[in-house]
Amino acid sequence: GALAFRTAGRLVYGKGTTSQVGELLGGGSGAKHTVLVVTDAMMVQLGLVDKALDALTAAGHKVEVYDEIYPDPSEESIYAATAAGRKAGCDAVVGFGGGSPMDAAKLVAFLLKTERPAPALEGMWGVHAELPGGRTPLALVPTTAGTGSEVTPLSIITTTAGPKLGLSSPTLLPDVAILDSSLTMSVPPAVTAATGIDAMVHAIEAYTSRLQKNQISDALAKDALKLLAGSIHGAVENGAEDEESRSNMLLGSCMAGMAFAHAPVAAVHALAYPIGVDFGVPHGYSNALVLPHVLRFNSAAAAPLYAELAPICFPTMDASRDAAAVSAEFAERYADLSDELGLEMGLRAVGVTAEDVEKLANDAMLQQRLLPNNPREVTLDDARALYTAAL
């Protein structure tokens, strides 16, 4: 089929660019807004959000802050943020923080515009060409290098019913995405490692996505992996000083986001979601825990593709051997990488036991938006075996 490539209306990249959020919001039309800044309490506490608030105020906008978005944001928090925005008369939204505030901000921008009756998101999950009624002006400012949410048409929410579901539509792509490396300098090593692995997973899964893999997503995925692999050690080990590594991680994460926005992710994410929901494990860390096992499992179908990515991610690897051997080492190197970056591997480290495998496997099979993208079919038995291997 035809490929339509869509991303943020405008992408601004560079240290200190948060100072431009006020003039960029609304596409330089000069319109003044009452802006709802959707963020989390940590961003306020660290003083990071002040940079955005100052810039918005300086540009003549009024500002309201909603800072009660937690990791894996709940459907209820989306409604609460929307209600706060409506009460303050907000007609524009800035999502500021990691993937959770950005994902929340996208839906709040939609709900503020459409005033759907409660529960407003019911029956909306899935993929939409356009969302009825559009959205308010929206800017997204990532403070971690991980989800790439600033350039994806996707919002992942923990629903009232329990599972994590996605709503995807180009309507949710922001008017502007701001990549300001200075916001990521204070991210602690463990979070830097987990979000960095998450970004790498986006690129790897996009490159092997079964249905929509294409030349543009391939190019973005490969370049993203080059940036991420070359910088993750520096960002984790010396993150407060190493601005070049931080900057590369943020750009790599964004490019990986562009890649998987067009060639969707698959089994790593499908298996990671239930671990996040049931055990309160951060999304990137959940991905890291299952990644090597899914890479091994997928090798039967994706070895030639993994062999192409291996020397990009691990330049010391001998890529001249046959694809099966290179692909096998690729999986081992990813297990080692998480270990080297200080992430404790094994699902038991996060409280999962053999008794939990059945529920996790059943929950993973509900991710039918993701599983068809996997290069190898995943059955319920496969899911059980993968979780068991990951213990």
Side-chain angles (χ1 to χ4, degrees):
L3 169 67
F5 187 86
R6 298 177 72 169
T7 190
R10 201 162 167 185
L11 188 64
V12 180
Y13 169 61
K15 183 182 177 183
T17 42
T18 307
S19 64
Q20 297 173 38
V21 65
E23 64 226 48
L24 290 168
L25 190 68
S29 62
K32 302 291 177 247
H33 294 286
T34 301
V35 181
L36 182 68
V37 177
V38 177
T39 187
D40 63 53
M42 182 59 76
M43 293 298 123
V44 175
Q45 224 173 304
L46 291 171
L48 289 178
V49 83
D50 292 347
K51 296 184 182 186
L53 302 184
D54 292 347
L56 289 164
T57 315
H61 304 293
K62 290 195 187 122
V63 184
E64 179 74 18
V65 176
Y66 184 87
D67 66 359
E68 289 177 56
I69 299 295
Y70 299 102
D72 300 313
S74 67
E75 195 176 334
E76 290 89 342
S77 69
I78 305 293
Y79 301 144
T82 305
R86 197 159 280 151
K87 191 177 168 195
C90 295
D91 59 355
V93 177
V94 171
F96 187 96
S100 298
M102 288 193 288
D103 278 14
K106 292 173 181 176
L107 291 179
V108 172
F110 162 57
L111 293 178
L112 275 177
K113 188 73 186 274
T114 53
E115 309 205 4
R116 285 169 60 85
L121 294 171
E122 199 171 348
M124 293 293 296
W125 307 107
V127 179
H128 300 264
E130 298 292 340
L131 290 177
R135 58 154 173 76
T136 67
L138 173 65
L140 297 176
V141 188
T143 60
T144 57
T147 64
S149 179
E150 69 278 4
V151 288
T152 71
L154 186 64
S155 179
I156 308 286
I157 300 299
T158 305
T159 60
T160 345
K164 279 177 95 160
L165 293 177
L167 197 160
S168 179
S169 167
T171 308
L172 298 180
L173 286 164
D175 299 296
V176 62
I178 293 176
L179 302 182
D180 177 356
S181 56
S182 69
L183 299 175
T184 67
M185 301 299 287
S186 56
V187 178
V191 178
T192 302
T195 53
I197 297 278
D198 184 29
M200 291 170 117
V201 171
H202 292 151
I204 294 167
E205 291 208 290
Y207 198 73
T208 52
S209 194
R210 204 165 59 84
L211 302 174
Q212 287 164 273
K213 174 180 164 67
N214 61 79
Q215 283 175 296
I216 297 178
S217 64
D218 284 355
L220 286 162
K222 286 206 285 213
D223 272 6
L225 282 170
K226 198 171 178 178
L227 284 166
L228 294 163
S231 301
I232 195 164
H233 285 283
V236 170
E237 288 151 27
N238 188 27
E241 271 81 53
D242 189 343
E243 212 214 323
E244 190 185 353
S245 289
R246 290 290 197 183
S247 182
N248 286 343
M249 292 299 290
L250 197 54
L251 188 57
S253 163
C254 179
M255 288 163 68
M258 287 181 189
F260 93 87
H262 296 88
V265 293
V268 179
H269 277 72
L271 291 166
Y273 282 167
I275 300 167
V277 172
D278 292 353
F279 294 88
V281 178
H283 170 68
Y285 186 20
S286 304
N287 271 331
L289 288 166
V290 295
L291 174 62
H293 306 281
V294 176
L295 291 177
R296 283 182 204 118
F297 172 82
N298 281 348
S299 263
L305 294 174
Y306 289 156
E308 287 169 20
L309 296 180
I312 297 172
C313 298
F314 307 106
T316 58
M317 273 182 70
D318 172 11
S320 65
R321 297 162 298 156
D322 69 293
V326 178
S327 177
E329 189 185 335
F330 184 60
E332 300 317 314
R333 291 273 192 128
Y334 262 103
D336 295 345
L337 177 64
S338 292
D339 213 29
E340 285 162 28
L341 297 174
L343 296 173
E344 199 179 342
M345 295 303 279
L347 291 178
R348 288 198 170 91
V350 297
V352 180
T353 66
E355 284 70 69
D356 300 310
V357 165
E358 190 60 28
K359 181 179 187 306
L360 288 171
N362 280 301
D363 286 353
M365 296 313 288
L366 297 175
Q367 294 295 333
Q368 288 307 320
R369 182 179 61 83
L370 304 180
L371 289 171
N373 306 316
N374 204 57
R376 182 178 170 189
E377 192 197 347
V378 180
T379 65
L380 180 59
D381 278 344
D382 294 329
R384 285 189 193 107
L386 281 161
Y387 282 123
T388 303
L391 286 170

